[in-house]
Each structure stands twice: as C-alpha cells, then as structure tokens.
C-alpha cells in the first residue's frame, strides 16, 4: 500500500520533532561514539581503579614467571627462614627461596586456575539456567529442582564434596570449584530469563515464529548480560579465594607447583616470627579479587549505557515501493459474518489457571468471528478478559494457563490440531496474524535497533536476506508515516517518542503479510493527539490492505469511532454484540449502557457528580451464580441471581445476554433513578445527560488523504 507522506504532513499527522524522548535532529544521532563510552567509564574513579588493578594483576601473571622464575626457585640453605630484609623483602622459606619472587611468580597459576574454574562454573550454570526455557516444562522442572537442591548447600561444602569426588590436585580443584559455583549462577540465570520471558517483545517474537533458541540468544540473554557479567566477575574473585583455600588445606595445587594458597599455608607456621610471609599471599588474594569485582562493575556500567552510542549500521538503501467477534455461552455459536469465510472464527473459548481450590476460569465460553477487512472492537473494564482472549487466540497463553475451545480457526485452518509451537502454527501466525501490544517500550527489545527487530520477521518467515529485510523494514516505517524512516531504523527504542514507538509497533505488525491485526490497548499510554494519529493509521491500514482488525480498548467511544462491530465483555464473557453505529442509540445490556453513561462528553452537566458504576467487577475466582453483573445492575431481579442468561439475538446483528434488556431510546434515561446496591446504597448508574447519539465522526479528517 503506497502512502503519500508529504500530503499527510499538512494534516498535522507528523510526530513533533522536538519531543523530549526524540530530540534527534535530521542528520544527527544522539549519543557519543562507541569508544567514548568506554573512555567515559575509565575516567570515573571506579573505572581507572579497576583498570589499574586488573592491568597490574594481568601483567604480573604474564611476565612474572618469565622474569623471576630463576630467583623464585633458587635454593639457598644459608638463608633458611629468614625474616624481611633489604635482600629478601618478605623473607625466605624453609629452603631459603625468596618468598617475594615466589609470590610474584605464583600470580600466573593462581589467576589461571581461578579463571578456568569461573569459566566452567559460568558455562555450567548458564546451561542449567536456560534449560527450562529451551527444553520445555517437564524437563525444565526437573532441572529447576536439581538446581534448587544444590543451592540449598553452602558453596564451600559443595566445593569440598566435589574435591573429594574428583581427587586432590589442581585439576580436581578446578572441577570442584567450577561445579560448586554453577548452582548459584544457574539460579540467577533462571530468574533473569523468567523475568523477561513474559515481556511483550518476546511474545511478539513468538508470534513471528522465532524459535526458542533464537529468542533466547537474541532477545533474552543480551538483556540480562549486565547482571550475569557482574556475577561472573564476582564469581572470579570468589573462585580465587576458594582455590586458595583448597590449596591452603592441601587439596589444591601440589608440590612442586605453588599458588598463593599454598604459599599462605607454608607461611602460616611462622606467622608470629615472620608475619610478612603469611600476610603477603593473603593480601595478593584480596587485591586480585578486588580487581575482578571492580572490573565487573565497570564493565556492567559501560555495557549498561544505552547502546545508542554504538557505531551505526550502514543505512539501508531506499527500497522500491512495496505492493500494496461475538460472545456466547459454551453451547452457542458465534454470530456469522456475512459474505466470505471469516478470517478468525472462535467458539467456546475458555482460559483457566490453577487456583488454591481448583481451576479458575478467566474466560468463559467466548465465541467471535472477524470477517475480511472488518474492524471488531472489544470493550470492558479491567479484568473482564479482553487481553486474555486476544492472547489465547494468538496462542500466547503460557503454562500454567490452559486454553480450551470448541474451535479456533484462522484463515480456515484450525489452530487446535497442531501443537502451539508446531511449524504449521508458527508459519501461519508468524506471517498472517500480527499483534500490537499496549506498551511499546516493553514490546521492543531495548538492546536491538528498531530496524533489525522489524527485519527479523522478514528473515524468519519470508526468506529475505539481511539487506532486503532491512529495506522492507524501512519501507514499513515509511508506510506508518515515520519521518526519516531510514534513520529511525538505525536507532534504538529509547531514542523514539511514545508515538513513534507505537508506529514502529504497527510497522512490525505489517512486516509479514497480515490478514488480522490484534491491537491490545494501542493508545493507552499516548496523549489524545497521538492517540488520534495512531487510530487513524490503523484505520488507514485496514482500509488500504483489507486487513481485519480486532481492537481492544477501555474507551467505548474510541471503539465506536474505529470499529464496525462492538463486543462488550464482562467477567470473562461477551454480554452484548451490536453494530457500532447503533451503539449509543440501541444498546440494551445495562452494563453497556452504564459504560456509555460513565464517559463524560461535551454536554455533561458540571454540577452533579460524575456517573460511576457502583461496586467492583467480580474476580474470576469468585464468579457468582446467575448473571455476573447482577450485584451491580440497577434492574436485576431474583432470576438474574440464579440463572445465567445466554447470548441471544434481539434483532439482526444485535445479540444480548440479559434477562431484562433495556429497550428505551436513551441509555441514560432508561436507567435513571434505579440505583444498584452492593451492601449499601450507591449512586444511580446513569446520569441525566444524553450521550451523543449515532456513530461519531470518522477518524480521517476532512481533506486528509487515507
């Protein structure tokens, strides 16, 4: 779909160029060059101190054995067990060897063995930590249980246990310390991976069909690298201390080799007469451990700086122009979409989660149909099941959630036949179903450029090459009216304003060949001006490409302006379905009319209190018998509290689940004076002001091009 952007600029649909989060002038990229970031960290007290200590330790590890091995191994029986002097700064040992030179030469073996044990522990812990995300639920539980048991034991106890298992000596000590470190690092990795696995951009990658391994290596691990780096370096200092302890106990390095722990054990016998011989190796361990810890903090600070300062990728070349629901009780079918076969058809959708007293059903028998090019809106209070329904349809409800349905057909293919992560579902959902999440800042991977994240969809599902996919990403950004699209593609999400990020989310949805876009609260975090732009953009995409739209929102007026049909959800069910142009005039369910009355408009009287819906929505674990809205309904009767009404047709295209539907001409007048009670008297649901009748003005303003 070709879009004339220059003509649209006159309509005021352009993002402000001086927004606080997008103050990037044309031809400039905010931030310093990549090298300056590291120089900036080095200029801090933490940076230069860490660099100095680490450089000193590494230089000694490399050059000390080359320079002073001869002096360290020279035996002088005439200088046995001498104290500190000008000739021997730290004295001599029981063979007359200079302890100072032996301390310097021991740096290489001490550091090398500590780093080797750290690498083994980090690698083992990383494998155990990511296993639940890679191997599935059952194997993941087993691995997690093993890690939990191992973490319960003190690290020193594990090290001593493994030292006995693997035997005395440097090799056994490396294995012992490495495996003793692994459980703690595995627990940290599991926690970090789990905390990111439910982020929106990970869900988006799953919808795009990205495999588990790629999601892990591309979207999860890069965003948890900072704490892993810090803990790995801290672990190096701990490994050095543990290794020295094993050598001190005689379980580590064996003669004739020596490290700081062995020197400490040898010098301990004369600590009262020659304390320097024992204190110097201990000080060396402390200084080296401090160098590792400070270096880790400095590196984490450097890599934690927003990556906008990294050298920019080559700007992609200009690409050629790109070519251009109804709720039911479980036994009731969804309303049919006239004409062709619906893009999405759902019947008897149920979503449940385990609870303390059995499964808790959050979505109860929902059914909906969405036709080709149709826009269907879903409204309701928070907790009504709107977003969960969308996630279930998109096959994004993770364990322990359970999704069951009589039918979920997308483009004529059942999504229930194949497993969730099957190649068939991945290919179908990855290219033909797109999802726009409500919080774009958490929907994008903060460690990847916007263009690369968009291009990944084309690479995975369309078989496009790297440059071709990036060019397609730039075209999609241009299609959603993003200014300087090629430059925006080379930026990171934090460099874009909220409106720009939401446009980029829509561009991500268009990277495949979508037949259905599920927009979950796409305008919640935006101001009204940008909200109008985003809604107009969705309407333009739908009209231009024939894409079906399932729009989820709290704002009933937004849905009425954007959609062809409106589905009203309450307590996990859809209680009313009707055309949007008849929403304000013929709504019959008391809950729908209450939602309309609760939204102020230009004619709302200012003196009376604003209209509210009394009480609170029911929670899924406390859904009452009968109609779930009965406790808050001003017209409820005894039957409503016993029998749950079915969704039935009252006229063509209009279905209501209510025993006593309100048929008055005005949604406010018909409810006036009938207060609902929830333990104490409450205000009437409806106010006296008439809501705006009929469908609101179309999104596209006069004179603006679609």
């Amino acid at each position: 779909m070709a879009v004339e952007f220059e003509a649209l600029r006159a309509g005021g649909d352009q993002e402000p160029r001086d927004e606080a989060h997008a103050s990037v002038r044309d031809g400039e990229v905010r931030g310093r060059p990549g090298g300056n970031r590291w120089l900036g960290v080095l200029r801090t007290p933490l940076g230069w101190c860490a660099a100095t200590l680490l450089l000193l330790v590494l230089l000694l590890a490399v050059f000390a054995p080359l320079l002073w091995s001869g002096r360290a191994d020279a035996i002088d029986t005439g200088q046995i067990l001498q104290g500190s002097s000008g000739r021997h700064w730290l004295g001599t040992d029981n063979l007359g060897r200079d302890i100072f030179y032996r301390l310097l030469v021991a740096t290489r073996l001490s550091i090398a063995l500590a780093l080797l044990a750290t690498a083994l522990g980090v690698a083992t812990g990383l494998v155990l930590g990511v296993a639940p995300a890679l191997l599935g639920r059952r194997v993941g539980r087993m691995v997690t249980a093993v890690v939990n048991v191992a973490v319960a034991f003190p690290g020193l106890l594990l090290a001593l246990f493994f030292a006995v298992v693997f035997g005395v000596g440097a090799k056994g000590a490396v294995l012992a310390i490495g495996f003793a470190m692994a459980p703690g690092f595995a627990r940290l990795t599991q926690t970090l991976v789990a905390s990111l696995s439910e982020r929106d951009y990970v869900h988006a990658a799953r919808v795009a069909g990205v495999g588990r391994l790629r999601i892990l290596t591309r979207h999860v691990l890069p965003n948890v690298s900072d704490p892993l780096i810090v803990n790995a370096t801290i672990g190096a200092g701990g490994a050095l201390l543990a290794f020295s302890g094993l050598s001190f106990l005689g379980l580590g390095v064996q003669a004739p080799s020596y490290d700081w722990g062995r020197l400490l054990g040898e010098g301990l016998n004369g600590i009262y007469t020659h304390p320097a011989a024992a204190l110097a190796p201990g000080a060396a361990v402390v200084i080296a451990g401090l160098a590792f810890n400070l270096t880790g903090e400095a590196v984490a600070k450097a890599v934690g700086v927003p990556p906008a300062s990294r050298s920019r990728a080559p700007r992609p070349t200009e690409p050629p122009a790109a070519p251009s629901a109804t709720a039911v009780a479980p036994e009731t079918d969804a309303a049919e979409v006239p004409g062709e076969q619906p893009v999405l058809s759902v019947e008897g959708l149920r979503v449940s989660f385990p609870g303390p007293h059995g499964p808790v059903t959050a979505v109860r028998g929902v059914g909906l149909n969405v036709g080709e090019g149709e826009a269907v809106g879903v409204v309701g209070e928070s907790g009504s099941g709107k977003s969960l329904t969308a996630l279930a349809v998109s096959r994004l409800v993770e364990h322990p959630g359970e999704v069951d349905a009589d039918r979920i057909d997308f483009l004529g293919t059942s999504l229930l036949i194949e497993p969730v992560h099957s190649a068939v579902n991945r290919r179908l959902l990855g290219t033909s179903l797109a999802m726009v999440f409500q919080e774009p800042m958490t929907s994008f991977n903060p460690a990847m450029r916007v263009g690369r994240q968009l291009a990944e969809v084309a690479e995975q599902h369309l078989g496009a090459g790297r440059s071709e996919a990036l060019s397609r990403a730039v075209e999609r950004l241009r299609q959603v009216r993003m200014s300087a699209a090629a430059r925006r593609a080379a930026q990171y999400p934090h460099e874009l304003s909220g409106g720009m990020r939401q446009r980029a989310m829509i561009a991500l949805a268009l990277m495949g060949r979508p037949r259905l876009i599920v927009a979950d609260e796409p305008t919640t975090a935006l101001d009204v001006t940008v909200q109008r732009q985003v809604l107009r953009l969705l309407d333009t995409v739908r009209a231009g490409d024939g894409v079906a739209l399932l729009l989820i929102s709290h704002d009933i007026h937004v849905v009425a302006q954007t959609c062809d049909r409106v589905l009203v959800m309450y307590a996990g069910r859809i209680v009313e379905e009707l055309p949007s142009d008849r929403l304000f005039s013929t709504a019959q369910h008391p809950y729908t009319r209450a939602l309309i009355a609760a939204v102020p408009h230009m004619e709302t009287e200012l003196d009376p209190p604003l209209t509210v819906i009394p009480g609170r929505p029911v929670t899924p674990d406390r859904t009452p018998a009968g109609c779930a809205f009965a406790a808050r309904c001003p017209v409820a009767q005894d039957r409503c509290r016993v029998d749950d009404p079915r969704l039935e047709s009252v006229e063509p295209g209009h279905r209501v689940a209510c025993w006593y539907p309100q048929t008055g001409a005005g949604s406010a007048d018909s409810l006036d004076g009938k207060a609902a009670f929830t333990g104490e008297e409450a205000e009437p649901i409806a106010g006296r002001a008439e809501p705006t009748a009929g469908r609101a003005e179309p999104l596209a303003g006069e004179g603006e091009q679609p």
Side-chain angles (χ1 to χ4, degrees):
M1 178 185 66
V3 180
E4 298 292 339
F5 296 98
E6 294 299 327
L8 287 169
R9 290 178 183 172
D13 196 37
Q14 196 74 10
E15 281 289 333
R17 299 178 64 84
D18 57 346
E19 294 193 41
H21 297 290
S23 57
V24 184
R25 298 184 178 89
D26 291 335
E28 296 180 350
V29 176
R30 184 177 59 188
R32 298 165 294 176
N36 289 346
R37 183 179 70 254
W38 292 93
L39 291 177
V41 174
L42 286 176
R43 292 192 184 106
T44 63
L46 172 66
W48 65 257
C49 185
T52 301
L53 287 177
L54 184 64
L55 182 62
L56 175 63
V57 170
L58 294 180
L59 287 176
L60 286 176
V62 173
F63 294 107
L66 301 177
L67 298 176
W68 300 302
S69 290
R71 296 186 181 183
D73 296 334
I75 298 175
D76 186 357
T77 55
Q79 299 290 329
I80 295 176
L81 298 177
Q82 296 295 312
S84 301
S85 63
R87 183 177 179 183
H88 303 288
W89 291 1
L90 298 179
T92 60
D93 62 5
N94 54 3
L95 293 178
R97 294 171 297 193
D98 191 289
I99 295 177
F100 175 72
Y101 289 113
R102 288 175 66 80
L103 182 69
L104 298 179
V105 172
T107 304
R108 173 182 290 184
L109 187 59
S110 301
I111 298 299
L113 293 177
L115 292 179
L116 189 60
T118 302
L120 177 62
V122 169
T124 306
L126 197 60
V127 171
L128 294 176
V130 302
L134 286 178
L135 302 179
R137 191 163 63 245
R138 280 187 190 172
V139 179
R141 284 179 178 176
M142 295 177 59
V143 173
T144 302
V146 171
V147 171
N148 290 340
V149 171
V151 169
F153 291 93
L156 181 59
L157 182 60
L158 281 179
L160 292 174
F161 170 76
F162 285 123
V164 173
V165 172
F166 294 116
V168 175
K171 180 179 178 181
V174 168
L175 295 174
I177 295 172
F179 289 135
M181 289 178 56
F185 201 81
R187 169 63 71 83
L188 174 66
T189 305
Q190 285 179 356
T191 303
L192 294 174
V193 170
S195 67
L196 289 185
S197 295
E198 296 303 317
R199 293 292 180 92
D200 289 342
Y201 61 84
V202 178
H203 284 313
R206 292 196 186 108
V207 172
V210 181
R212 291 182 180 181
L213 181 60
R214 186 175 178 85
I215 288 177
L216 186 67
T217 58
R218 190 69 179 264
H219 297 283
V220 176
L221 289 181
N223 289 298
V224 299
S225 59
D226 290 2
L228 294 182
I229 290 174
V230 172
N231 280 271
T233 51
I234 292 176
L240 178 64
L241 179 61
F243 220 107
S244 299
L246 290 181
S247 296
F248 175 79
L249 296 175
L251 300 176
V253 175
Q254 302 297 306
S257 300
Y258 55 93
D259 65 346
W260 289 334
R262 187 169 180 83
L263 293 179
L264 179 61
E266 293 174 352
L268 189 63
N269 295 328
I271 190 171
Y272 296 108
T273 56
H274 306 299
L279 296 179
V285 173
V286 171
I287 293 173
L290 185 62
F292 285 125
N293 293 349
L294 293 181
T295 300
E297 294 288 348
V299 171
K301 184 177 180 180
V303 300
V305 173
S309 56
R310 296 176 185 172
S311 58
R312 296 177 57 191
R315 181 172 296 183
T317 57
E318 295 296 324
S324 45
T326 304
V328 294
E331 67 277 11
T332 306
D333 293 336
E336 294 295 332
V337 176
E340 301 179 357
Q341 183 180 20
V343 174
L344 176 67
S345 181
V346 179
E347 292 181 5
L349 177 65
R350 296 170 293 276
V351 182
S352 59
F353 296 88
H357 305 293
V360 175
T361 303
V363 175
R364 306 180 295 139
V366 166
L368 61 90
N369 286 326
V370 182
E372 182 80 23
E374 185 185 24
V376 176
V378 183
V379 296
E381 295 172 284
S382 296
S384 60
K386 307 184 302 297
S387 298
L388 194 55
T389 298
L391 292 175
V393 169
S394 304
R395 312 297 283 155
L396 289 177
V397 176
E398 297 285 344
H399 180 79
E402 296 289 340
V403 177
D404 186 23
D406 299 332
R407 182 175 71 170
I408 301 179
D409 290 349
F410 180 57
L411 297 178
T413 301
S414 175
L415 301 181
L416 299 176
I417 297 177
E418 299 287 341
V420 176
H421 298 291
S422 67
V424 175
N425 280 350
R426 284 179 54 193
R427 182 169 60 253
L428 182 62
L429 297 177
T431 57
S432 299
L433 188 146
M435 195 156 186
V436 179
F437 296 99
Q438 61 179 302
E439 180 45 64
M441 193 59 198
T442 62
S443 301
F444 279 110
N445 187 335
M448 293 177 61
R449 302 177 192 275
V450 172
R452 286 302 313 147
Q453 297 189 57
L454 270 63
E456 190 173 45
V457 178
E459 293 176 6
Q460 288 289 315
H461 293 291
L462 304 181
R466 186 181 180 89
S467 60
E468 180 185 354
L470 194 56
S471 296
R472 183 180 178 89
V474 173
E475 176 59 29
R476 290 298 180 263
L477 290 174
R478 187 176 292 108
Q479 182 177 346
V480 298
R481 307 172 188 175
M482 183 82 78
S483 62
R487 180 159 55 86
R488 303 300 184 195
Q491 293 178 328
Y492 290 85
H494 73 275
E495 297 182 90
L496 305 181
S497 68
M500 290 181 178
R501 282 194 294 267
Q502 197 60 278
R503 290 170 186 266
M505 274 297 300
I506 298 174
L508 178 63
L510 299 177
M511 281 300 297
R513 299 184 180 92
R515 299 286 300 280
L516 171 66
I517 295 178
V518 179
D520 184 7
E521 298 282 358
T523 60
T524 297
L526 306 177
D527 61 71
V528 292
T529 302
V530 180
Q531 180 182 103
R532 180 172 179 267
Q533 297 169 2
V534 171
L535 291 173
R536 185 190 296 117
L537 176 59
L538 287 172
D539 192 61
T540 302
V541 170
R542 180 176 68 90
D545 291 351
V547 179
L549 175 66
L550 185 63
L551 177 64
I552 298 170
S553 178
H554 289 92
D555 194 330
I556 197 168
H557 286 276
V558 166
V559 170
Q561 292 176 350
T562 309
C563 301
D564 302 313
R565 285 189 294 132
V566 178
L567 308 177
V568 182
M569 287 195 72
Y570 186 80
R573 287 190 59 194
I574 300 180
V575 296
E576 185 165 12
E577 178 264 336
L578 73 167
S580 58
D581 58 359
R582 304 208 307 261
L583 174 64
F584 298 110
S585 59
T586 63
Q588 296 188 15
H589 198 285
Y591 179 62
T592 306
R593 298 156 75 89
L595 289 177
I596 296 172
V599 178
H601 50 84
M602 296 301 296
E603 298 179 4
T604 301
E605 297 181 11
L606 302 181
D607 295 333
L610 292 176
T611 302
V612 297
I613 305 177
R616 295 183 179 181
V618 298
T619 56
D621 59 333
R622 296 183 179 179
T623 303
C627 177
F629 189 63
R632 310 172 69 192
C633 180
V635 297
Q637 300 184 27
D638 292 340
R639 183 182 183 184
C640 301
R641 298 176 177 86
V642 177
D643 298 330
D644 192 8
R646 296 171 57 122
L647 189 69
E648 296 181 349
S649 177
V650 295
E651 58 182 330
H654 189 173
R655 294 150 65 88
V656 180
C658 182
W659 293 121
Y660 305 101
Q662 304 298 290
T663 57
S667 62
D669 289 341
S670 62
L671 295 179
D672 185 27
K674 297 183 178 182
F677 293 88
T678 55
E680 59 181 4
E681 188 171 358
E683 292 292 332
I685 287 181
R688 296 182 180 274
E690 284 283 349
T692 303
R695 187 171 182 177
E697 292 297 323
L699 288 174
E702 295 182 2
E704 292 184 332
Q705 300 184 17

